[in-house]
Each structure stands twice: as C-alpha cells, then as structure tokens.
Amino acid sequence: MHGMETRGLGWWAEARATLALAWPLALTNLSQHAMAATDALILGWFSTEALAAGTLGANLYWLMMAPALGTGFAAAPVMAQARGMGQRRGGAGRGWMRELRRGARSALVATLILLLPSLLVLWQGESILRLMGQEPALARDAGAFLRAMMWGLIPFSAFIVLRGFLAAMDRPGPALWVTGAAVVANAPLCWLLVFGAFGWEGMGVAGAGLASALADLLMLLALLVLIARDRRLRRFRLLGRFWRIDWPRLVEVFRIGLPISGQMLMEIGVFSAAALAMGWFGATAVAAHAIALQVAALSFMVPMGIGQAATARVGMMAGRGDAAGAWQAGWVAIGLGAGFMLAMATLFMLAARPIAWAFLDAREDGAAAVAALGAGLLTIAGLFQLGDGVQAVAAGALRGLKDTKVPMLLAALGYWGIGMPVGVGLAVAAKMGPAGLWLGLAAGVSLVAGMLLLRWRRLSEASRDRKALAGA
C-alpha cells in the first residue's frame, strides 16, 4: 500500500507514490475528455453550426452536472481518511471498511438526490438557451443534444463515486481500462449516430449526445462487473442494502460535497458563461471558443488527475495522523501539476494554428476564420495553463483535509469577482471581442490559483506539528 510505504520517506519516494496513483487517474480523465473531444471533432466535420450547438449544449450539461459531481468527489476524502485510519490501526478490525462503505453509499445517494433537478433543467435546455439570447437554430439543436445526452448523467455520476473508491484503495486501474474501452467504442458509435449509414440519415447533433449517454452507461456497468470480480474489492459490498440511508454520513457528504459543487459551479459556470457570451459574436466565435476550450480542458485533465491523487494521498495521511506526510504529499503533487502545465503552455503558444485546424474541415465555409480565431484563443489559453494546474492540484490537496468551504468562496471571488467582469469589460467596453473574454478568464484562473496555494500553505504548515489531521 502506497501510504504505508512512504511514511517518513523523502520527496522522491512521495513523488513516485503520487505518480503511481496519478497517472491512471489522469489517463482516465483524458479518456473521458477524449470522448467529448471526439464528439466535438465529429460535429465539427458535420458542420460549424453543429459544433457550435454541441458546445452550447455541453456547457449547460456540465453546469447542471456540477452539483452531483461535487458530492461524488466528496466520497474520495471520506474514503481515503477511513482507509488511513485502518492503516493506523494496522488494518485490524472491519470498522474502517464499514466507514469506507458508508461514505461510498452516502455519496451515491446524495448524487441521485441532486441529479433530479438537473435533469428537469436539461429537458428544457432549448428554452433556457433562447432566454439567454442564443440564436433560435443553435438553441434548437443544442436542446436536442441535451435531451439525448442527459440520460448519461446518472451512470456517469455513479461511475465518479466508484472511481473515488478505487483511488482510495490504490486501485485506479479498472476505471482506466473501462474508460479507455469506452473511448474506442464511442468514436464509431458517435460517427454512426451523427452521420448515419446504409441509407439512414443519422441524428445529427442529437446523435453525439446519445452516443455519450450510451458510453456512460457502458462505463458504469463494466466497472461494476470488474469490482464484483475482484476478491479484494467485492468484500466491501458497496451496493448491499443500498436503500438503507445512513443519515449522519449523508450529512457529512453534503457538508463536504456541496462546497465542492459550489466551487465546480464557479469554475464550470464562468467558462459556460463565456461560451454563452461568445454567442453575442456569432457562430464563428462560438466554434473557435469550442476548439480552444476543448484543448485547454484536455490538458487540464492531467493536473485534475494529480489533484485526485493528492486528495487520496493527503486524506490517507490525515487519517493516519501523519501531518508531515500530508504536508509533503500536497506540495509534491502541486509541483508535479505545475511542471506539466508549463510544458503545455509552451505547446499551446508554439502550435496554436495546427491544433485549431485539427478540429475543422478546410472545405467548410468559414473554416479559415474559425481556425484563425481559435489559434488566437489557444495562445491566450497558454497564459493561464500554469495557474489552472496549480489551482486544480491545490484544491485536491485541500479536499484531502476536508477543507472545501473556503476554496469555494475563493473560487467565487476569482472567477466571478474578477475573471468574468474583466472579460466582459475587455470584450464589450474595450471592443476586444472573444480575445477579451479569454483574457478575463486567464486573470480569474490565475487569481484563484494564487489564493488556493496560500490557503494550502497556511493549513498544511499549521497542521504539520499535530498528531492527527483527521478533524481538519
């Protein structure tokens, strides 16, 4: 077990342990995002308008998923600290297993509760987008996309909880295998449903949404099968007596998870608002924004995975009462995330134009304009790669300490107090257009990164001399 191996060891040992857990998590994230990127590529080849509609729909989809994802992510620190407590006791007894199982079940229940209003909102996606000032044709297609894709919400959210369980158990491999298989299956399925075959015209934008929903369902079913076939994992009986609600643990999951949901809403919301604001500048701006956002989000999947590893590592150390180990685990993870994103920033600035063209069919009318604007936005995205990586990992480390409320407030200040107002001001008042919006996003992300880094430094250093961090 990684947590037992690295107690008291040096920085390199912790880096190896973090990487051993982080790389499957990062690849899982990349695989999940690869499905979204595949959908964007196929929709871009179908038409510029289809890409724009799919982007509008996807932004609203992720915004509505954020509440449930927060409680799903809350399961990770609860389960990691439970496992750490078991390690502190030498693995004796089954109390820690019971605590871990209670955390997983409560997260699943909380997720289902929060998904119900989200599904109602997504069903009315077209009307909501039209009220937000989007073009009627784009809103109609985006609404069709959402009504197909929304059925993947429940299986995907359950998959996130189970993935957190596997991370807490240092077994991220099954989630990676399942997601990789889903990527392979999603590409031909999406193409078939969008374009059709054998005389069938296909479903257009709605086909991409349905392909994603089916892939989410297959991922959940496959992961459940793998867990059931594993002797070490199936003994937890995660779904046994699922209908019995553990009210104290459910309250704890909501206490930890709702601020995570709030923080995610702040971050996803600001990018979704930027996508909606892009609609003011026409379909070309929306399509260019979609390209830049897809690529930036793709690179973000790696520090997000490192942040998830940091939650597990820091939480495990906290549960064991190893304050110095928790401090070290967090800083190592932050350094790894920052190093990767510096490399991505360099790539974005040097290869923006060819990256943008990869999403477009050169024969499509308006493709050159979309590529030029997309390349410009990708260059700006390079400016905030470092900040994006640092804030993702620092937030993950803080979650390992069950510190989620203050990070949510810091995100609100950075994204909505600075990022969005500055972006809209530059885009409209300064007449910089789409580039102004992205410069505002860069400012907001960088500010959040700095504040979360200071928060982690203060909490982790204040805790180093304590014997236990479980109540932090």
Side-chain angles (χ1 to χ4, degrees):
M1 295 181 289
H2 294 307
M4 293 299 289
E5 291 168 358
T6 61
R7 186 183 182 105
L9 295 182
W11 293 88
W12 285 111
E14 178 60 40
R16 287 194 297 271
T18 300
L19 285 172
L21 181 57
W23 75 261
L25 291 170
L27 283 179
T28 301
N29 293 335
L30 284 167
S31 298
Q32 289 171 341
H33 187 74
M35 284 191 282
T38 299
D39 293 347
L41 280 169
I42 292 174
L43 288 175
W45 291 333
F46 188 76
S47 74
T48 300
E49 291 75 15
L51 175 59
T55 301
L56 289 175
N59 275 280
L60 185 56
Y61 176 88
W62 287 105
L63 188 64
M64 289 297 100
M65 178 179 269
L69 279 184
T71 53
F73 283 133
V78 172
M79 291 186 286
Q81 288 202 16
R83 187 181 177 214
M85 291 171 60
Q87 289 180 345
R88 184 169 57 186
R89 299 167 185 165
R94 292 182 173 269
W96 70 274
M97 294 177 62
R98 182 171 59 252
E99 290 299 307
L100 193 151
R101 179 169 58 248
R102 289 170 66 191
R105 290 177 179 171
S106 298
L108 286 170
V109 172
T111 295
L112 290 173
I113 292 172
L114 292 176
L115 279 178
L116 295 177
S118 296
L119 291 171
L120 293 175
V121 171
L122 292 177
W123 187 257
Q124 299 298 327
E126 178 182 352
S127 300
I128 291 170
L129 289 171
R130 293 188 69 166
L131 286 173
M132 291 179 175
Q134 300 304 308
E135 297 177 6
L138 288 179
R140 182 191 64 246
D141 289 344
F145 174 85
L146 286 169
R147 287 196 172 190
M149 191 175 183
M150 60 182 282
W151 302 112
L153 266 176
I154 292 176
F156 182 73
S157 298
F159 176 85
I160 291 297
V161 174
L162 294 179
R163 190 181 67 175
F165 162 68
L166 292 172
M169 294 300 298
D170 281 346
R171 296 288 296 275
L176 172 60
W177 305 331
V178 166
T179 311
V183 172
V184 174
N186 179 68
L189 181 61
C190 182
W191 182 277
L192 173 65
L193 293 175
V194 170
F195 285 94
F198 308 111
W200 178 52
E201 294 183 357
M203 300 172 62
V205 179
L210 180 58
S212 294
L214 291 172
D216 291 337
L217 177 60
L218 291 174
M219 285 164 53
L220 174 62
L221 294 176
L223 195 59
L224 286 172
V225 169
L226 289 177
I227 290 174
R229 291 175 60 87
D230 189 295
R231 292 181 59 186
R232 182 184 172 200
L233 299 177
R234 70 186 180 205
R235 61 181 177 155
F236 287 89
R237 297 180 289 110
L238 294 180
L239 300 183
R241 297 183 179 179
F242 179 76
W243 58 89
R244 296 182 62 178
I245 297 178
D246 185 335
W247 293 106
R249 185 65 69 238
L250 184 62
V251 170
E252 182 187 22
V253 168
F254 275 124
R255 179 180 62 81
I256 298 172
L258 287 178
I260 297 176
S261 299
Q263 184 178 352
M264 294 179 67
L265 279 169
M266 300 300 170
E267 185 173 0
I268 297 173
V270 78
F271 282 95
S272 297
L276 293 171
M278 286 293 174
W280 303 340
F281 303 100
T284 295
V286 175
H289 173 80
I291 292 170
L293 187 60
Q294 286 289 341
V295 177
L298 190 65
S299 70
F300 178 75
M301 295 299 106
V302 174
M304 183 179 176
I306 297 173
Q308 290 162 344
T311 299
R313 297 288 303 162
V314 171
M316 193 186 309
M317 296 296 181
R320 288 169 43 180
D322 185 358
W327 174 85
Q328 185 182 62
W331 282 115
V332 165
I334 290 169
L336 291 172
F340 175 82
M341 291 303 260
L342 278 174
M344 289 298 98
T346 303
L347 176 64
F348 282 16
M349 293 181 179
L350 294 179
R353 185 169 289 273
I355 291 174
W357 270 113
F359 286 80
L360 298 165
D361 184 346
R363 298 169 297 180
E364 179 77 19
D365 291 340
V370 173
L373 182 55
L377 298 183
L378 275 171
T379 302
I380 298 173
L383 297 176
F384 65 79
Q385 288 299 286
L386 176 60
D388 213 13
V390 169
Q391 66 89 15
V393 183
L398 288 167
R399 288 169 192 167
L401 300 179
K402 297 183 178 179
D403 180 57
T404 58
K405 186 179 296 183
V406 172
M408 177 190 69
L409 298 175
L410 297 179
L413 174 62
Y415 294 132
W416 291 96
I418 302 296
M420 198 61 193
V422 169
V424 172
L426 292 175
V428 180
K431 298 183 179 180
M432 294 180 65
L437 277 172
W438 272 71
L439 286 171
L441 295 177
V445 168
S446 300
L447 179 61
V448 171
M451 292 189 295
L452 288 178
L453 198 61
L454 290 174
R455 174 74 176 172
W456 165 253
R457 178 182 176 183
R458 187 176 74 81
L459 287 187
S460 62
E461 291 185 356
S463 301
R464 264 191 301 175
D465 297 328
R466 298 176 187 171
K467 291 183 179 180
L469 293 174

